[in-house]
Amino acid sequence: MEEQSNITFRVIKQGIMANANFTVLVNGKSVGKINFKKELTLPFQKGIQKIQFKVGFMTTKELQVNVDGNDKIIEWIYGNNTEPYIVGEENTKIKNTADKSLNDLNENNQSLNSKKAKKPKNVLIIMLVIIIGIVGGISLSNVFDDTYNTNTQKETLDQYAGLWVHYSPHTTGAEMTLTLDGKGNFTEKTTVSEYNRTLVYNGTYKIENDTITLYKDGSVHSKWEIVNNKLLRNADSRTLTEYRKK
């Protein structure tokens, strides 16, 4: 008989809907329901399993799990725009993302160097953009991706730079902070006291009109409406979810 492994599915509260039921999807098919107090454990054969969580009309991004003979726990923090993750491997994923960003930057630099002899004017233009970006407050990493901050006014970025603390009247068991560095980079931390675990998300942000958009891995992480320079409100949520500047 082929070896099996157990996978436990768990959802953590970060918002309202205390009595909500969440559907667990494996390879696109429902295998059961869970809630904030009830988890689900099922056996699986070795191989790749595609995991998702669904509540109402919303379905999370797909998480591919390699069933390799070891038991695993899959968690999802509801209400925090996070993706499902394997407990114990979330820090590895963050490290891999950082390594990939560094490799992409190195590849871009190598590509520029290889074309230097053929297109000297283009190289000079790119160097000028980098210099302007650094002086204007845009970090070097943001110059090379598609999500760099389009608002280059340093005084505008400075208004919102610093530490922000998450607030929701329905949030229990989790604390969130958001740090904006004033150069187009953000760090979001979620600490779940019940499981003594901290998740860290890094990415870029841009300010357009009255909205701050956070990007992670090239995709929109979340959007925040600027109420004033001390208060941000979740633009994607129908509930009261805010960041208040500390």
Side-chain angles (χ1 to χ4, degrees):
M1 181 177 180
E2 189 174 353
E3 186 178 356
Q4 293 183 334
S5 300
N6 290 327
I7 296 182
T8 298
F9 304 93
R10 180 188 296 162
V11 63
I12 300 173
K13 185 194 303 187
Q14 173 66 23
I16 61 172
M17 298 179 68
N19 299 318
N21 288 318
F22 299 83
T23 301
V24 178
L25 303 176
V26 178
N27 300 322
K29 296 181 180 180
S30 173
V31 296
K33 292 183 180 295
I34 58 176
N35 55 44
F36 298 118
K37 297 181 179 179
K38 176 186 175 183
E39 57 188 36
L40 175 67
T41 300
L42 296 173
F44 291 90
Q45 302 292 340
K46 281 189 174 182
I48 301 298
Q49 306 292 339
K50 300 176 182 178
I51 310 298
Q52 292 174 287
F53 291 84
K54 182 178 180 181
V55 55
F57 296 102
M58 184 184 70
T59 304
T60 67
K61 289 185 178 181
E62 189 178 90
L63 173 68
Q64 293 195 6
V65 179
N66 181 23
V67 179
D68 54 5
N70 298 313
D71 294 346
K72 300 179 186 296
I73 298 176
I74 308 298
E75 284 185 353
W76 178 46
I77 302 178
Y78 168 73
N80 187 28
N81 298 316
T82 58
E83 303 171 16
Y85 58 88
I86 302 173
V87 173
E89 297 184 11
E90 57 268 30
N91 291 333
T92 301
K93 180 180 179 182
I94 294 170
K95 180 180 183 301
N96 290 340
T97 300
D99 291 344
K100 181 179 183 302
S101 299
L102 181 60
N103 290 336
D104 290 344
L105 180 59
N106 289 335
E107 289 176 1
N108 279 322
N109 286 334
Q110 292 174 2
S111 177
L112 291 176
N113 290 335
S114 66
K115 296 178 180 179
K116 183 176 180 180
K118 296 181 180 179
K119 299 181 179 180
K121 291 184 179 180
N122 290 342
V123 174
L124 291 175
I125 292 173
I126 292 173
M127 291 177 63
L128 181 61
V129 169
I130 294 174
I131 294 172
I132 294 175
I134 294 174
V135 173
I138 300 177
S139 66
L140 182 62
S141 62
N142 288 340
V143 173
F144 286 100
D145 61 33
D146 295 328
T147 60
Y148 70 90
N149 201 309
T150 57
N151 191 330
T152 58
Q153 298 297 319
K154 191 174 186 300
E155 58 269 24
T156 300
L157 295 175
D158 284 345
Q159 288 185 69
Y160 309 103
L163 179 66
W164 298 75
V165 178
H166 183 268
Y167 171 80
S168 171
H170 306 286
T171 299
T172 59
E175 297 179 358
M176 290 175 55
T177 61
L178 173 68
T179 302
L180 304 179
D181 69 352
K183 299 179 182 180
N185 302 294
F186 81 87
T187 298
E188 187 176 59
K189 294 183 180 180
T190 300
T191 301
V192 184
S193 56
E194 182 178 357
Y195 299 100
N196 192 27
R197 182 176 297 111
T198 298
L199 303 180
V200 181
Y201 297 94
N202 295 301
T204 59
Y205 71 93
K206 67 179 179 181
I207 302 173
E208 291 181 322
N209 300 322
D210 60 349
T211 301
I212 295 179
T213 304
L214 308 183
Y215 294 88
K216 187 177 80 71
D217 299 337
S219 301
V220 174
H221 181 62
S222 60
K223 291 185 178 182
W224 298 88
E225 175 189 354
I226 300 173
V227 179
N228 53 54
N229 61 359
K230 296 289 185 180
L231 178 63
L232 305 177
R233 184 165 295 146
N234 194 327
D236 298 325
S237 176
R238 298 180 182 178
T239 61
L240 180 61
T241 305
E242 301 175 343
Y243 266 119
R244 298 175 180 178
K245 195 168 187 182
K246 191 172 180 64

